[in-house]
Amino acid sequence: MAEYALASFEAKDGTGRWEVFTWGIIANGQRYYFTKRSHIVCAGLPGRTERHVYQTEEDDDFGLWAALAVYQETGSLTDAGLAAWALGGTSIETHIDTREIPGNVTLSIGHLRRGRDANLSLRYREDGRWVQVGAIQHFADITLAAINAYRRTATPAAPSSSI
């Protein structure tokens, strides 16, 4: 009977496909089995693009040059003042800054067993603009459910008797 993975994702760090089953996890081609103390922690924040739009206002001094030219031609301060008012002012420029904000996702699964090796941990981290937050969070949710199901079905330890 073929066993199917409950959830999986393709790791970008070269460890290949991570798959979760009712009994444990396959990562990097290795089988890791759940224990009663197995736990999982997952946190992630997707990358994003931010756009900031702002305007700068600068006095271009064109009105002052126009007033000077009018005054030199006419000798009238009134006409020079009207020229400064009509042609003066500020120039407004619109700027758009685009920034790529990287995201990250971390996954840690502890208290796993492989053969006689107990208390093993698996850790995975991705950083960058395009991280697999959704896929890894889904994997973590399914892994948590599998761990909880394993705990419910695991045989309880025999009570110790003191003599």
Side-chain angles (χ1 to χ4, degrees), residues 11-64:
K12 293 181 180 179
D13 66 353
T15 57
R17 187 162 203 75
W18 287 45
E19 299 175 306
V20 62
F21 297 89
T22 56
W23 48 263
I25 294 173
I26 294 179
N28 201 18
Q30 299 286 325
R31 289 177 178 246
Y32 296 87
Y33 296 91
F34 294 135
T35 66
K36 290 182 200 173
R37 296 179 61 205
S38 293
H39 63 273
I40 185 166
V41 176
C42 181
L45 183 65
R48 64 192 186 279
T49 301
E50 287 186 354
R51 286 184 48 186
H52 296 276
V53 179
Y54 62 95
Q55 293 181 329
T56 57
E57 185 175 339
E58 295 179 7
D59 193 1
D60 57 8
D61 293 334
F62 186 69
L64 295 176

Side-chain angles (χ1 to χ4, degrees), residues 76-160:
S76 167
L77 288 176
T78 305
D79 291 342
L82 285 173
W85 174 80
L87 298 174
T90 58
S91 63
I92 297 175
E93 292 184 33
T94 301
H95 305 277
I96 300 173
D97 285 343
T98 303
R99 287 183 256 178
E100 299 289 327
I101 309 297
N104 65 54
V105 62
T106 58
L107 175 68
S108 178
I109 308 164
H111 288 286
L112 300 171
R113 179 181 53 80
R114 188 177 70 217
R116 292 181 179 239
D117 295 332
N119 199 20
L120 298 175
S121 295
L122 291 173
R123 289 183 175 78
Y124 179 74
R125 180 181 177 102
E126 273 185 26
D127 295 298
R129 174 63 178 93
W130 304 106
V131 293
Q132 308 177 75
V133 174
I136 294 172
Q137 184 63 56
H138 176 72
F139 180 85
D141 293 342
I142 300 300
T143 301
L144 179 60
I147 289 171
N148 289 335
Y150 176 84
R151 286 180 185 152
R152 284 191 301 272
T153 61
T155 56
S160 60

